[in-house]
């Protein structure tokens, strides 16, 4: 059975729901539990506490590393789209796109798909369409990061907030040297990550395939 730890991004949320749970519990059970009308509220707080702790869990995994030609999944989730598209923000050219959707039950830390140097970062405010909407990559709140591999291939990672997700936490900065599977950032409560890369890249996954961040190989850059 996999061991877990709690991600640092969940610290404040967990502290607040823990305080709320203890407060409602103290009120519900004071004076011998006579305040029975508060019991449902305490049970609801206990349920929410469990959900928040579950959401911010991170499994302790062994990341086997990768060769310079493998493109790793940036997140746990489901491959919902593989397409040839025109990427307007950075490439301004045809690209292959792979989209990984993270449901609220998935681990929500995002990871670099390749090793290299961060050459571009930009945050965009936006809407909160459902994460699988075809226009969410262009209209939703999002954060774009481009990593240039030692072989000179640029890989674009786009963190996209969904209808529930309301906060993208990016870690990347231009000039950083990063490693594949290293943490790129976090998206809170349901979201999606898109990858864009040159069209000649060989895709190794299919739509609706389950993938694991930092482990599953999505494509070969060679």
């Amino acid at each position: 059975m996999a061991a877990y730890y709690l991600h640092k991004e969940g610290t404040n949320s967990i502290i607040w729901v823990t305080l709320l749970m203890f407060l409602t519990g103290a009120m519900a059970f004071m004076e011998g539990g006579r305040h029975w009308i508060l019991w449902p509220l305490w049970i609801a707080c206990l349920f929410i506490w469990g959900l928040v702790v579950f959401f911010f869990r991170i499994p302790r995994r062994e990341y086997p590393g990768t060769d310079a030609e493998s493109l790793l999944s940036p997140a746990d989730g489901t491959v919902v789209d593989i397409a040839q598209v025109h990427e307007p923000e950075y490439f301004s050219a045809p690209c292959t796109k792979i989209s990984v959707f993270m449901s609220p039950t998935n681990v929500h830390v995002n990871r670099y798909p390749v090793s290299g140097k961060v050459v571009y970062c930009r945050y965009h405010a936006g809407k909160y369409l459902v994460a699988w909407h075809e226009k969410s990559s262009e209209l939703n709140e999002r954060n774009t990061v481009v990593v240039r591999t030692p072989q000179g291939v640029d890989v674009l990672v786009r963190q996209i907030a969904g209808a529930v997700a309301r906060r993208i936490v990016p870690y990347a900065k231009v000039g950083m040297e990063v490693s594949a599977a290293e943490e790129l950032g976090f998206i809170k409560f349901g979201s999606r990550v898109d990858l864009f890369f040159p069209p000649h890249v060989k895709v190794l996954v299919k739509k609706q395939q389950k993938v694991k961040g930092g482990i599953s190989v999505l494509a070969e850059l060679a």
Side-chain angles (χ1 to χ4, degrees), residues 28 34 43 58 61 63 82 95 110 121 140 165 187 194:
R34 279 187 274 176
I43 292 172
I58 302 295
R61 295 173 177 166
Y63 295 97
I82 302 172
C95 295
N110 303 146
C121 292
N140 277 22
I187 313 178
D194 284 354

Side-chain angles (χ1 to χ4, degrees), residues 76-96:
D76 286 26
T78 304
V79 176
V80 293
D81 193 24
I82 302 172
Q84 301 298 316
V85 299
H86 182 274
E87 196 291 309
E89 179 180 349
Y90 177 81
F91 289 108
S92 296
C95 295
T96 299

Side-chain angles (χ1 to χ4, degrees), residues 8-146:
K8 63 182 180 181
E9 297 298 341
T11 301
N12 289 338
S13 298
I14 292 171
I15 288 174
W16 280 110
V17 295
T18 299
L19 290 174
L20 181 62
M21 181 184 65
F22 277 109
L23 178 62
T24 55
M27 294 172 62
F29 292 101
M30 68 190 309
E31 298 183 11
R34 279 187 274 176
H35 297 273
W36 57 268
I37 197 170
L38 293 174
W39 292 358
L41 178 60
W42 178 76
I43 292 172
C45 290
L46 184 62
F47 179 71
I48 293 171
W49 180 88
L51 288 179
V52 171
V53 170
F54 179 76
F55 178 82
F56 286 105
R57 79 202 185 283
I58 302 295
R60 297 188 183 277
R61 295 173 177 166
E62 292 292 332
Y63 295 97
T66 181
D67 55 58
E69 298 172 352
S70 295
L71 182 68
L72 300 179
S73 176
D76 286 26
T78 304
V79 176
V80 293
D81 193 24
I82 302 172
Q84 301 298 316
V85 299
H86 182 274
E87 196 291 309
E89 179 180 349
Y90 177 81
F91 289 108
S92 296
C95 295
T96 299
K97 180 185 76 172
I98 298 179
S99 299
V100 177
F101 173 71
M102 294 172 282
S103 76
T105 61
N106 285 127
V107 174
H108 271 60
V109 67
N110 303 146
R111 300 186 181 277
Y112 289 103
V114 292
S115 298
K117 184 177 183 179
V118 177
V119 295
Y120 179 88
C121 292
R122 181 166 294 179
Y123 168 82
H124 303 267
K127 298 181 179 180
Y128 295 98
L129 303 173
V130 290
W132 57 84
H133 193 286
E134 63 179 5
K135 290 293 185 180
S136 64
S137 181
E138 301 173 12
L139 301 180
N140 277 22
E141 177 187 356
R142 60 202 181 277
N143 185 64
T144 301
V145 177
V146 178

